């Protein structure tokens, strides 16, 4: 197979490069996901509703609220899933499935809220920085605990992750209820953050009018680039990838794979937690609602990571894309359709990601045909 | 009737970018054991896949018993009496032998599967050809040898007369190989014709009567085996003279480099110790060979020495430094290089490129990294140098992902890496397994060069010939203990074989005098 690819590189030029091959295959998966979504819509709501509703998904909310607002919303909603996607993808590079992202997300959110409200009087305009640091720390600790349980105690990653999620959920509920500064008894949600605890908007409110777009997306992308750098250039990244690709060979090489797994989960926890802070400290008036359900952003990280092939840079694009669909989905209610249709579409898209190799092969064959005799 | 049971005339088969078979003609008589000899990638499997109907050639013709035929698929091949045992067996793992064999030609009674007749016929076949197969054992529980016998039975059950074996011995132990040879002799005596693909010269001389040598897709020659020497055959195959028995320089055995005392290593989970109270010394300038039948504790001995498995007791001394409790990295960095038994499991991160694999144990050292950052350019340059020095064939230089490389070249990557780390001791486990003669010669040369440099080599090998050819001293391992210490110039294959089978043993302190 490899040989064939190499040859294709020569024959098909840039069109046959591994990047293009993967890219095209992903686009095909996305199109198939959307098509099945359309069919579902047609079945459930008939043509008069389905067609315009589907158009709303495709055009995002851009059609409804205009380009600037739509764009801003996409950026805003991309931040949390960008970070949880990076979290899941990064852990997968080490061969660990981080199902604990929702819990880490929540720990970050809580720490950001805590720091934002408690430190604001002392820190003033720098409070948001402290909130980010607090969130990262909390997520790192949470991820590390999970990583150590998985690596040293050989606990099943799924069970461990789910457990840590629910522990985080109820722990955060408990901590908030006990804290008069964060919460007034009897309400179901927290107080909102002071202005000093919010991320700078950097004038994005003027560019993307009518949206909550803020510097969170820039920080998020910077973190992705940092993750890319870690994987690509550092000795730690070398260890992480070696462990993920072949744990036995890593051991043979003298790498302490248990430690690597724990460290990877710690970093992964930091990423997910940053999602929590950057999202919650991103907009004015946000309140965290206490409850029994985990927030969906942590789970959405899984499809974001898969669609981005666990590549920190590709994940930026997959997060933006899924956010785009979600924002479009928000506009669905006006058609009397639940926005869940977007979840269905992303799920189907993710499902077809598992056919990626097939699509890649078909694509390579097509390129071969097109460029036959030209090599 | 034609003189030949089958002929392939002027077969040309191209793959994108390569002509795997270039105008090949092959003529096989009844009751021939016809060898196809050639290095890895010479086109042997391709030619046989053409005969078996898996590939369609661009040109050329096939005759069976003198008649032109067209073989479009394996079904056609089967109809002409052609059967094939592939390099990688094609059995369903959770099916029993019986189920696998009748698969596709099931006998039915009133629409229901009826295996009674099939069983009778198979029992008759196993008796006639002396093929030990447990018909009701699931394939996944079988030894490789038995799986292969299932494949043979499958061909016999389908009443094939032309039997193709694609590198049948690559996966077998020497004992299983010998059994296979006997089976093949039995098959020929019953009137079958055999095509036997191999790059092992001993086997071809032992079993074949005629041989076609392929090199880079072309026929180099077709010869009668009678009167051919291994040297002549290997020269035809590789295109240059090969030293089958490497020349060893006189090297004086130096000081003790590694001293092992009372080493005990546990078996797989919950099993009894696989290495029992073993002691030996490895000297500078010495190739010390641990010989034995597979599964007598060699793997565990290596695991214990390298740290892949914790030891149950004893010491491993490098001078005053007892590493028996040290971690793998400590042993790696200070004393030991290790060419592992399983190059895919341990030796390589297959999805890493050559240059990344070249720094597998040293990625954090000053030579290729500073402040936690890997100097990829430096690693790349180093790997390019190794590719040059060790003649590693790869499509895209140091950036080639190792998964796509041939087994021989993958092994060269490991050999280069381990030798160039300049450790005082090299533990090499079956370093030439699956290699062709050219590559074997190359690896042996490297080991001998290390010996001349005054390093110590612990060679674990199952190949008696390798043991006799390059070692200075032999320790025979049997059921986790050393049962004999032999010197290649004072012993012979028979004696070595007796020790290995456990029929002979000496009481001695494992070479630690
Ligand atoms: N299906 C295939 N597609 C492309 N190239 C192939 C294929 N099968 C074999 N080749 C190439 O053809 C050549 C001959 O391969 P093969 O017949 O397997 O050699 P051998 O069996 O002698 O080791 C090799 O260079 C190999 O890479
Ligand atoms: Mg072959």
């Amino acid at each position: 197979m490899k040989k064939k690819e190499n040859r294709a590189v020569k024959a098909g030029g840039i069109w046959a490069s591994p990047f293009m091959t993967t890219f095209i295959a992903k686009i095909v998966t996305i199109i198939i996901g959307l098509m099945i979504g359309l069919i579902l819509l047609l079945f459930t709501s008939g043509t008069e509703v389905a067609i315009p509703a589907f158009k709303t998904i495709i055009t995002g909310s851009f059609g409804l609220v205009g380009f600037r607002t739509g764009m801003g919303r996409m950026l805003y909603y991309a931040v949390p899933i960008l970070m949880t996607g990076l979290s899941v993808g990064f852990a997968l590079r080490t061969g660990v499935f981080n199902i604990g992202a929702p819990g880490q997300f929540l720990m970050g959110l809580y720490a950001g809220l805590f720091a934002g409200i408690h430190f604001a009087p002392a820190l003033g305009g720098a409070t948001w920085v402290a909130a980010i640091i607090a969130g990262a720390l909390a997520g790192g600790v949470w991820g590390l605990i999970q990583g150590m349980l998985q690596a040293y105690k050989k606990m099943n990653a799924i069970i461990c992750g789910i457990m840590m999620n629910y522990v985080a959920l109820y722990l955060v509920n408990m901590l908030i209820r006990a804290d008069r500064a964060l919460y007034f008894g009897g309400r179901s949600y927290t107080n909102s953050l002071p202005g000093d605890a919010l991320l700078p908007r950097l004038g994005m409110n003027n560019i993307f009018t009518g949206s909550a777009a803020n510097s969170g997306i820039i920080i998020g992308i910077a973190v992705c680039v940092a993750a890319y750098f870690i994987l690509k250039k550092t000795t730690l990244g070398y260890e992480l990838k070696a462990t993920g690709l072949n744990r036995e060979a890593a051991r043979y090489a003298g790498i302490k794979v248990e430690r690597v797994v724990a460290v990877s989960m710690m970093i992964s926890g930091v990423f997910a937690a940053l999602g929590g802070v950057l999202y919650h400290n991103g907009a004015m008036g946000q309140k965290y609602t206490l409850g029994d359900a985990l927030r969906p952003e942590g789970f959405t990280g899984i499809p974001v990571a898969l669609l981005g092939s666990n590549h920190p840079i590709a994940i930026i694009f997959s997060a933006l894309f899924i956010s785009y669909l979600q924002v479009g989905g928000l506009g669905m209610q006006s058609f009397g359709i639940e926005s869940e249709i977007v979840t269905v579409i992303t799920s189907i898209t993710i499902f077809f990601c598992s056919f990626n190799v097939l699509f890649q092969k078909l694509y390579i064959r097509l390129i071969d045909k097109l460029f036959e005799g030209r090599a | 009737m034609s003189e030949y049971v089958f002929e392939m005339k002027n077969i040309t088969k191209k793959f994108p970018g390569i002509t795997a078979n270039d105008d090949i003609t092959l003529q096989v008589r009844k009751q021939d054991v016809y060898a196809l000899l050639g290095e890895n990638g010479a086109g042997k499997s391709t030619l046989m896949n053409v005969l078996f109907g898996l590939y369609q050639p661009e040109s050329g013709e096939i005759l069976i018993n003198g008649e032109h035929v067209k073989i479009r698929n394996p079904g056609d091949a089967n109809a002409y009496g052609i059967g094939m045992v592939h390099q990688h067996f094609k059995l369903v793992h959770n099916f029993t032998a019986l189920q696998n064999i009748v698969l596709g030609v099931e006998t039915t009674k009133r629409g229901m599967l009826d295996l009674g007749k099939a069983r009778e016929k198979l029992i008759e076949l196993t008796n006639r050809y002396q093929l030990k197969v447990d018909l009701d054992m699931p394939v996944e529980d079988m030894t490789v040898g038995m799986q292969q016998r299932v494949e043979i039975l499958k061909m016999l059950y389908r009443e094939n007369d032309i039997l193709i074996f694609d590198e049948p011995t690559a996966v077998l132990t020497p004992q299983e190989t010998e059994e296979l040879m006997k089976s093949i002799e039995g098959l020929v005596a019953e009137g079958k014709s055999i095509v036997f693909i191999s790059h092992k010269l001993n086997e071809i001389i032992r079993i074949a009567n005629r041989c076609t040598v392929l090199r880079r897709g072309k026929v180099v020659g077709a010869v009668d085996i009678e009167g051919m020497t291994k040297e002549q055959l290997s020269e035809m195959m590789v295109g240059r003279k090969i030293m089958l028995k490497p020349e060893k320089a006189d090297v004086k055995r130096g000081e003790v480099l590694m001293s092992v005392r009372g080493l005990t290593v546990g078996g797989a989970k919950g099993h009894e110790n696989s290495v029992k109270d073993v002691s030996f010394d490895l000297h500078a300038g010495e190739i010390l060979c641990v010989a034995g039948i597979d599964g007598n504790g060699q793997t565990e001995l290596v695991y214990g020495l390298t740290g892949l498995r914790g030891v149950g007791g004893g010491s491993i001394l490098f001078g005053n430094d007892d590493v028996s409790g040290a971690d793998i990295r400590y042993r790696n960095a200070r004393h030991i290089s290790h060419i592992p038994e399983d190059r895919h499991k341990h030796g390589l991160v297959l999805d890493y490129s050559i240059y990344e694999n070249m720094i597998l144990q040293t990625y954090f050292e000053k030579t290729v990294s500073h402040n936690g950052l890997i100097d990829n350019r430096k690693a790349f340059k180093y790997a390019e140098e190794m590719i040059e020095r060790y003649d590693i064939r790869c499509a895209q230089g140091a950036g080639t992902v190792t998964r796509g490389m041939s087994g021989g070249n993958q092994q060269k990557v490991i050999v280069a890496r381990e030798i160039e780390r300049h450790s005082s001791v090299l533990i090499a486990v079956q370093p030439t397994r699956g290699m062709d003669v050219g590559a074997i010669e190359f690896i042996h040369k490297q080991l001998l060069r290390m010996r001349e440099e005054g390093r110590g080599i612990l060679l674990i090998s199952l190949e008696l010939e390798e043991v006799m050819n390059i070692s200075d001293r032999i320790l025979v391992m049997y059921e986790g203990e050393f049962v004999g210490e032999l010197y290649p110039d004072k012993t012979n294959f028979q004696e070595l074989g007796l020790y290995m089978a456990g029929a002979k043993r000496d009481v001695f302190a494992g070479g630690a005098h």
Side-chain angles (χ1 to χ4, degrees):
Chain A
M1 200 56 240
K2 200 74 217 165
K3 270 225 170 77
K4 228 171 158 184
E5 266 181 39
N6 294 345
R7 190 184 49 79
V9 168
K10 268 185 240 128
I14 179 149
W15 287 101
S17 65
F19 170 77
M20 255 322 196
T21 311
T22 325
F23 185 71
I24 300 275
K26 296 275 179 193
I27 298 287
V28 172
T29 25
I30 289 169
I31 291 174
I32 291 178
L34 289 171
M35 286 302 121
I36 295 182
L38 174 61
I39 293 168
L40 279 176
L41 272 175
L42 284 170
F43 266 105
T44 51
S45 0
T47 354
E48 323 78 74
V49 181
I51 300 288
F54 188 70
K55 242 166 101 188
T56 310
I57 297 182
I58 298 294
T59 55
S61 61
F62 295 10
L64 290 177
V65 293
F67 180 75
R68 287 177 165 216
T69 310
M71 193 76 177
R73 287 189 185 166
M74 175 182 85
L75 294 177
Y76 176 67
Y77 286 109
V79 175
I81 60 175
L82 170 63
M83 297 319 289
T84 53
L86 180 65
S87 168
V88 173
F90 192 85
L92 272 175
R93 290 296 284 271
T94 323
V96 207
F97 194 38
N98 178 18
I99 203 103
Q104 296 146 11
F105 181 87
L106 202 52
M107 292 309 283
L109 188 153
Y110 167 74
L113 180 68
F114 179 92
I117 289 182
H118 284 284
F119 299 167
L123 295 177
T127 309
W128 63 276
V129 180
I132 291 177
I133 294 171
L137 281 174
V141 170
W142 211 245
L144 183 62
I145 295 172
Q146 187 184 336
M148 282 167 64
L149 287 173
Q150 283 173 207
Y152 295 103
K153 296 287 167 205
K154 306 277 175 259
M155 213 166 145
N156 177 294
I158 308 282
I159 294 174
C160 190
I162 293 176
M163 182 196 79
M164 291 297 288
N165 283 342
Y166 281 97
V167 173
L169 177 65
Y170 292 110
L171 180 67
V172 166
N173 279 347
M174 213 173 79
L175 289 171
I176 291 177
R177 286 214 175 90
D179 194 336
R180 301 312 316 259
L182 303 188
Y183 175 81
F184 285 130
R187 277 206 233 130
S188 64
Y189 48 82
T190 62
N191 298 335
S192 49
L193 286 156
D196 282 342
L198 301 181
L199 306 183
R201 306 214 45 188
L202 302 179
M204 284 163 95
N205 40 338
N206 299 326
I207 306 171
F208 306 109
T209 44
S211 80
N214 60 72
S215 58
I217 187 71
I218 296 170
I219 299 173
I221 289 174
V223 172
C224 286
V225 173
Y228 172 77
F229 180 80
I230 291 176
L231 285 174
K232 178 101 183 160
K233 297 272 183 199
T234 66
T235 52
L236 174 66
Y238 184 92
E239 290 175 339
L240 292 168
K241 286 184 295 178
T243 305
L245 292 170
N246 184 349
R247 203 178 264 230
E248 281 301 314
R251 230 161 70 73
Y252 156 91
I255 294 170
K256 294 216 163 57
V257 292
E258 287 81 15
R259 193 166 68 194
V260 168
V261 166
V263 168
S264 163
M265 278 299 295
M266 181 182 79
I267 297 175
S268 181
V270 169
F271 292 157
L274 283 177
V277 196
L278 296 181
Y279 176 67
H280 197 252
N281 290 40
M284 212 170 341
Q286 290 246 47
K287 298 174 167 100
Y288 172 69
T289 308
L290 305 177
D292 295 331
L294 289 160
R295 298 186 54 104
E297 289 89 346
F299 294 112
T300 310
I302 299 169
V304 170
L306 293 180
L307 192 59
S309 301
N310 305 327
H311 188 289
I313 303 300
I315 281 172
I316 299 174
F317 295 96
S318 77
L320 288 172
F321 171 71
I322 290 182
S323 171
Y324 176 84
L325 286 185
Q326 283 183 340
V327 171
L330 291 177
M332 301 292 280
Q333 270 115 346
S334 56
F335 296 95
I337 297 172
E338 289 302 318
S339 60
E340 266 79 35
I341 188 71
V342 167
T343 315
V344 173
I345 290 175
T346 38
S347 308
I348 292 167
T349 308
I350 297 319
F351 176 76
F352 277 98
C353 276
S354 46
F355 290 84
N356 228 292
V357 176
L358 175 72
F359 294 147
Q360 287 185 20
K361 278 191 181 165
L362 291 176
Y363 173 73
I364 289 172
R365 203 174 296 167
L366 178 75
I367 290 289
D368 276 2
K369 279 246 164 65
L370 288 177
F371 287 87
E372 208 156 36
R374 280 203 233 165
Chain B
M1 273 298 260
S2 155
E3 183 185 355
Y4 302 107
V5 285
F6 80 85
E7 296 168 77
M8 302 179 81
K9 285 192 177 160
N10 311 102
I11 299 286
T12 295
K13 173 69 199 163
K14 290 180 182 162
F15 290 117
I18 186 164
T19 306
N21 289 163
D22 191 353
D23 194 23
I24 295 184
T25 294
L26 181 73
Q27 297 171 306
V28 176
R29 291 183 181 82
K30 192 170 164 62
Q31 288 180 299
D32 266 346
V33 176
Y34 202 111
L36 263 186
L37 178 64
E39 289 188 289
N40 288 325
K44 309 179 294 287
S45 298
T46 303
L47 185 65
M48 285 303 110
N49 284 331
V50 166
L51 179 63
F52 195 56
L54 285 168
Y55 295 146
Q56 295 307 314
E58 269 77 35
S59 61
E61 47 194 30
I62 299 175
L63 291 83
I64 306 257
N65 290 323
E67 283 178 36
H68 283 273
V69 296
K70 190 116 188 74
I71 302 177
R72 283 177 216 89
N73 53 50
D76 284 357
N78 196 37
Y80 291 118
I82 301 169
M84 182 160 175
V85 178
H86 293 270
Q87 207 161 347
H88 307 283
F89 303 153
K90 299 188 186 292
L91 297 172
V92 182
H93 273 228
N94 48 1
F95 273 20
T96 64
L98 180 64
Q99 290 167 331
N100 263 293
I101 291 167
V102 299
L103 193 63
V105 290
E106 300 89 345
T107 42
T108 52
K109 204 152 86 190
R110 272 179 261 117
M112 304 291 275
L113 194 58
D114 174 29
L115 296 180
K117 271 222 199 74
R119 185 184 296 274
E120 259 169 51
K121 183 171 169 187
L122 282 168
I123 291 173
E124 193 266 321
L125 285 171
T126 47
N127 289 336
R128 173 142 52 113
Y129 292 103
Q130 300 278 312
L131 293 164
K132 273 176 265 160
V133 169
D134 180 347
L135 290 175
D136 297 310
M137 186 189 270
V139 166
E140 58 199 350
D141 296 338
M142 292 181 181
T143 62
V144 187
M146 194 186 282
Q147 291 184 18
Q148 191 172 61
R149 292 195 288 276
V150 173
E151 289 273 22
I152 298 172
L153 261 182
K154 204 166 147 184
M155 298 191 293
L156 297 175
Y157 183 78
R158 286 160 172 70
E159 291 168 355
N160 294 323
D161 296 316
I162 299 165
L163 311 181
I164 308 165
F165 290 86
D166 193 351
E167 298 204 26
T169 59
V171 288
L172 300 185
T173 64
Q175 286 68 28
E176 287 174 324
T177 300
E178 191 46 42
E179 269 179 57
L180 174 69
M181 296 292 169
K182 293 217 177 82
S183 303
I184 289 180
E185 282 166 351
L187 290 166
V188 171
E190 292 276 340
K192 309 282 186 194
S193 313
I194 311 279
V195 179
F196 185 90
I197 301 182
S198 180
H199 50 66
K200 293 186 187 166
L201 302 161
N202 282 334
E203 292 168 1
I204 286 178
I205 292 202
R206 154 93 168 72
I207 193 84
N209 61 317
R210 208 170 151 74
C211 174
T212 285
V213 183
L214 301 183
R215 196 193 312 150
R216 290 168 195 256
K218 291 199 176 74
V219 174
V220 181
V223 293
D224 284 325
I225 292 293
E226 181 97 26
M228 290 297 283
T229 64
K230 277 198 284 184
E231 282 72 15
Q232 288 169 311
L233 283 174
S234 67
E235 195 176 335
M236 281 176 81
M237 166 161 107
V238 187
R240 63 185 164 90
K241 274 207 165 30
I242 290 279
M243 300 289 284
L244 291 173
K245 193 172 161 64
E247 260 175 58
K248 282 172 71 177
D250 277 329
V251 173
K252 251 182 101 88
R253 184 165 113 164
E255 79 276 24
V256 173
L257 292 176
M258 177 172 76
S259 178
V260 175
R261 289 292 174 276
L263 186 72
T264 299
V265 184
K269 277 190 199 92
H271 284 66
E272 62 171 321
N273 287 333
S274 298
V275 179
K276 300 164 191 162
D277 194 14
V278 159
S279 301
F280 66 93
D281 288 333
L282 174 65
H283 296 259
E286 175 182 50
I287 297 182
L288 172 59
C289 188
V290 175
I293 296 170
D294 199 14
N296 275 284
Q298 299 98 315
T299 304
E300 290 80 3
L301 172 66
V302 172
Y303 282 5
L305 292 174
T306 55
L308 280 168
R309 188 175 296 170
V311 303
S315 57
I316 306 163
L317 288 157
F318 292 86
N320 291 326
D321 189 7
D322 182 0
V323 302
S324 59
D327 60 26
I328 298 172
R329 168 137 312 159
Y330 183 92
R331 302 186 208 200
N332 260 349
R334 256 157 254 250
H335 308 294
I336 301 177
S337 281
H338 175 198
I339 299 172
E341 180 176 357
D342 189 333
R343 54 178 168 259
H344 288 175
K345 184 175 173 194
H346 287 125
L348 294 170
V349 176
L350 284 174
D351 293 307
Y352 266 176
S353 59
I354 296 181
Y355 85 86
E356 287 167 308
N357 271 298
M358 275 293 173
I359 55 171
L360 198 56
Q361 297 101 332
T362 51
Y363 63 91
F364 59 92
E365 284 178 5
K366 280 214 179 59
T367 44
V368 286
S369 75
H370 333 270
N371 308 324
L373 297 183
I374 293 182
D375 188 338
N376 284 322
R377 200 172 307 155
K378 231 170 170 180
F380 199 89
K381 235 180 102 201
Y382 174 73
E384 296 269 73
E385 215 180 290
M386 291 299 119
I387 289 170
E388 178 82 31
R389 287 244 296 279
Y390 285 79
D391 187 28
I392 299 166
R393 311 265 169 88
C394 48
Q396 297 149 306
T400 311
V401 174
T402 50
R403 186 180 289 283
M405 295 165 58
S406 72
N409 285 301
Q410 290 175 343
Q411 183 74 344
K412 279 187 181 175
V413 171
I414 299 173
V415 168
R417 180 182 72 209
E418 295 308 311
I419 290 183
E420 296 302 325
R421 279 172 48 218
H422 297 288
S423 313
S424 62
V425 167
L426 170 71
I427 299 176
V429 191
Q430 301 188 52
T432 60
R433 183 165 60 170
M435 312 276 113
D436 51 45
V437 276
I440 292 175
E441 177 194 51
F442 178 83
I443 289 174
H444 283 168
K445 264 193 191 149
Q446 301 307 317
L447 297 182
L448 290 168
R449 183 168 61 82
M450 287 186 73
R451 170 177 173 267
E452 282 157 36
E453 289 169 5
R455 296 198 256 166
I457 295 119
L458 185 70
L459 174 69
I460 286 74
S461 179
L462 304 176
E463 304 268 348
L464 291 188
E465 191 155 329
E466 177 168 79
V467 172
M468 293 293 261
N469 276 350
I470 75 165
S471 64
D472 295 303
R473 185 158 63 103
I474 304 164
L475 291 171
V476 184
M477 198 162 189
Y478 179 73
E479 296 193 336
E481 293 171 298
F482 288 146
V483 294
E485 178 181 33
L486 306 166
Y487 292 85
D489 48 358
K490 290 187 208 116
T491 186
N492 52 43
F493 283 89
Q494 282 72 22
E495 192 186 21
L496 193 54
L498 288 175
Y499 278 99
M500 283 168 55
K504 204 171 167 195
R505 71 190 293 160
D506 302 335
V507 179
F508 79 108
H513 314 280

